Amino acid sequence: MAKYQLLLLAFLSLVAMKPQIVFGNFQEDMVFNWGAPHSSIFNNGQNMQLQLDRYSGSGVQTNKQFLFGSIEMHIKLVHGNSAGTVTAYYCSSTGPKHDEIDFEFLGNSSGHPYIIHTNVYTQGIGSREEQFYPWFDPTADFHNYTIHWNPSQIVWFIDGLPIRVFTNNEAIGVPFPNEQAMRVYSSIWNADNWATRGGLVKIDWTRAPFIARLSRFNPRACEWTGPISLTACGSNSPANWWTKPTYHKLSYSQMGQLKWVRDNFMIYDYCKDTKRFNGRMPRECSKPII
Ligand SMILES: *[C@@H]1O[C@H](CO)[C@@H](O)[C@H](O)[C@H]1NC(C)=O
Ligand SMILES: *[C@@H]1O[C@H](CO)[C@@H](O)[C@H](O)[C@H]1NC(C)=O
């Protein structure tokens, strides 16, 4: 074949390729804030490992702060006996009245299910836990844990399925996280005083190190560059895809998916815990979930 034909073929095969999704880079986007020697970034910043042993856990945080958008992370949790370990992936602002959106993964003995724990803090107040069993083995493969956050709602997604929604209920006096920028964090730590069967199962240190694997970090979010971002990130400008009407609430099919997850895999809902709140339920609990 003539040289130009080969070139043409190479060119055509390039064109036929799907556009590549460009993910964030751990090396450039994050810094270790705890236990750096226990963690590593490799594969040109595409992958990261967080480790826990009897001396330390480890954690990272983004350099940038965000206000609204989609924060995506693919995580493969500690496999085997992970009892007593907690792996966390969350967004948080700082200060005593901080806002926070959490995914936490509570480990378990081999063959027993992880608990996927979610929470949201507004103005420093949390106590809004919802917990789920995964419908898949979260230790066998990477799964897509994404937080969608806009002025109308927060949605927690796993592999594209919404598992939880926190709606903006400022109209009935419930603060919504819409004024404080957040960094993205991930960490693994020893929580064997409470995590597994309420603290009954302790970490088996002979199995250390415990390793959580992260990849495809993708913050498609509004970068906080000072107070001016407050209006810039929340405005209906076309660049702010997260404020488009389609993201104001779940679609009809997403509502079905949410219901499927909640009917089959939800194990704790703070809005149903009347004992805990002594009958004085948080205000948002009076509203339908979606
Ligand atoms: C991960 O899930 C989010 C939310 O559903 C979605 O927007 C994103 O495209 C997913 N990522 C991949 C690589 O499929
Ligand atoms: C661990 O397994 C036990 C028994 O299957 C289960 O009750 C518990 O919810 C699981 N998860 C955690 C984090 O304790």
Side-chain angles (χ1 to χ4, degrees), residues 75-112:
I75 307 173
K76 186 175 173 183
L77 295 168
V78 176
H79 70 93
N81 183 358
S82 59
T85 70
V86 169
T87 304
Y89 156 56
Y90 60 103
C91 302
S92 183
S93 65
T94 51
K97 297 213 155 195
H98 81 292
D99 296 331
E100 183 177 322
I101 308 167
D102 297 330
F103 262 118
E104 283 179 9
F105 307 95
L106 319 188
N108 217 334
S109 324
S110 298
H112 292 280

Side-chain angles (χ1 to χ4, degrees), residues 141-189:
D141 253 311
F142 285 92
H143 289 271
N144 175 355
Y145 302 92
T146 295
I147 294 167
H148 258 236
W149 171 34
N150 65 42
S152 320
Q153 62 179 10
I154 299 163
V155 187
W156 288 251
F157 285 97
I158 301 179
D159 294 330
L161 298 186
I163 66 158
R164 175 172 188 180
V165 178
F166 183 75
T167 306
N168 184 332
N169 274 314
E170 284 182 312
I172 58 163
V174 182
F176 188 79
N178 51 12
E179 286 176 7
Q180 306 187 71
M182 305 202 206
R183 288 198 159 83
V184 185
Y185 298 81
S186 188
S187 54
I188 184 168
W189 79 85

